[in-house]
Amino acid sequence: MNKRFLVFLSSRKSWALPYIIFSAIFVVIPLFLIVVYAFTDDNGHLTLANFQKFFEHPEAINTFVYSIGIAIITTIVCILLGYPAAWILSNSKLNRSKTMVVLFILPMWVNILVRTLATVALFDFFSVPLGEGALIFGMVYNFIPFMIYPIYNTLQKMDHSYIEAAQDLGANPLQVFLKAVLPLSMPGVMSGIMMVFMPTISTFAIAELLTMNNIKLFGTTIQENINNSMWNYGAALSLIMLLLIAATSLFSTDDKDNANEGGGLW
């Protein structure tokens, strides 16, 4: 038995053991508990009342839909701002300094709550009222690095022979971008969308700080229920949010596969 254990430890399979233990403790078990609490009542009996309660309360549904809308707006703004930034960073003709890349990624090194508090202080300094506009600004400010980096990484690794071929065939700069650069960079765009959309839809601290708790997001609703010891209903809301994120993740994976299997750019 000891010899088999030593052989296992000396094999490459043993390298995955710490990750398996970590995933079991911090991923599998919490997800299992969410499912158990979501489908049980306070007495531990199986029930669908928690989900029924969600669908019977228009306020909870409106908060859920509103959170999706805020997440979509934040993601779109991050794409519109992040793609040009990633393009400039990856283009050696426009950017000759690696320092610029570090400056764009630097905010990721600061805790998100510290960045949000700094944003609140900035709005207070300029006497800008806190509200929906401040919320979207704070969301974009906090999550735009997660959009820039995957797009930049994809553009950096892109095969530029496609661009040269398009130019040799007489394509103008706009056609080169639409027919060659954009399709090849879509995996990075999809990764950026996932990295922005998923945390945006589940956040609550940013909304509380940048709206003085006047605007509720779905994450805030979950937090309030759990803080009020309504574990079962809070778990049901969490499971609904997780299912939405999982569906978005599967949609993103399908889009990546279709892009990789497309074969042609024209």
Side-chain angles (χ1 to χ4, degrees):
M1 183 67 181
N2 292 334
K3 183 180 290 186
R4 289 183 179 179
F5 183 71
L6 291 175
V7 171
F8 172 76
L9 289 179
S10 62
S11 65
R12 290 187 177 183
K13 293 181 180 179
S14 64
W15 297 357
L17 188 59
Y19 303 100
I20 294 173
I21 296 174
F22 180 88
S23 298
I25 296 174
F26 295 103
V27 178
V28 178
I29 294 177
L31 288 176
F32 175 76
L33 291 175
I34 288 175
V35 174
V36 170
Y37 275 99
F39 287 97
T40 56
D41 56 18
D42 294 336
N43 297 320
H45 300 141
L46 289 176
T47 181
L48 295 176
N50 299 314
F51 299 95
Q52 183 180 355
K53 181 179 178 181
F54 168 74
F55 289 108
E56 289 179 350
H57 283 71
E59 183 181 353
I61 296 176
N62 291 337
T63 302
F64 183 61
V65 174
Y66 181 79
S67 300
I68 295 175
I70 290 293
I72 292 174
I73 292 173
T74 301
T75 304
I76 291 174
V77 174
C78 285
I79 292 174
L80 295 177
L81 297 177
Y83 198 103
W87 169 255
I88 292 171
L89 292 174
S90 65
N91 195 323
S92 58
K93 295 180 181 179
L94 301 176
N95 175 38
R96 298 180 180 275
S97 174
K98 296 296 183 183
T99 306
M100 290 296 295
V101 180
V102 177
L103 290 177
F104 273 93
I105 305 302
L106 193 61
M108 297 175 64
W109 300 352
V110 182
N111 185 276
I112 190 170
L113 290 177
V114 175
R115 281 181 278 160
T116 304
L117 290 172
T119 306
V120 173
L122 184 67
F123 280 119
D124 288 341
F125 179 78
F126 288 105
S127 300
V128 178
L130 299 178
E132 190 174 64
L135 172 62
I136 295 175
F137 179 89
M139 292 284 196
V140 172
Y141 168 65
N142 278 290
F143 295 114
I144 195 170
F146 297 99
M147 180 66 70
I148 293 176
Y149 185 73
I151 298 176
Y152 163 77
N153 195 36
T154 302
L155 292 173
Q156 277 283 90
K157 298 177 179 179
M158 186 172 58
D159 188 353
H160 289 270
S161 62
Y162 289 106
I163 299 176
E164 296 172 0
Q167 292 171 340
D168 292 340
L169 292 171
N172 58 43
L174 180 60
Q175 290 174 325
V176 170
F177 173 76
L178 294 177
K179 297 292 186 177
V181 176
L182 186 60
L184 291 173
S185 64
M186 283 309 295
V189 174
M190 296 308 300
S191 296
I193 290 174
M194 290 302 303
M195 294 176 69
V196 172
F197 182 82
M198 287 194 296
T200 301
I201 199 173
S202 60
T203 187
F204 60 89
I206 297 176
E208 291 180 359
L209 293 172
L210 288 176
T211 67
M212 302 299 292
N213 212 19
N214 291 324
I215 295 179
K216 269 188 185 181
L217 295 183
F218 200 60
T220 306
T221 304
I222 296 173
Q223 181 209 23
E224 289 178 351
N225 281 281
I226 292 177
N227 287 343
N228 293 328
S229 299
M230 299 175 65
W231 293 89
N232 303 92
Y233 184 52
L237 298 180
S238 300
L239 186 59
I240 291 171
M241 185 183 64
L242 287 173
L243 291 175
L244 174 65
I245 293 174
T248 308
S249 179
L250 290 174
F251 177 76
S252 172
T253 303
D254 291 340
D255 280 353
K256 286 181 183 179
D257 292 339
N258 292 335
N260 293 332
E261 294 173 2
L265 297 174
W266 300 92

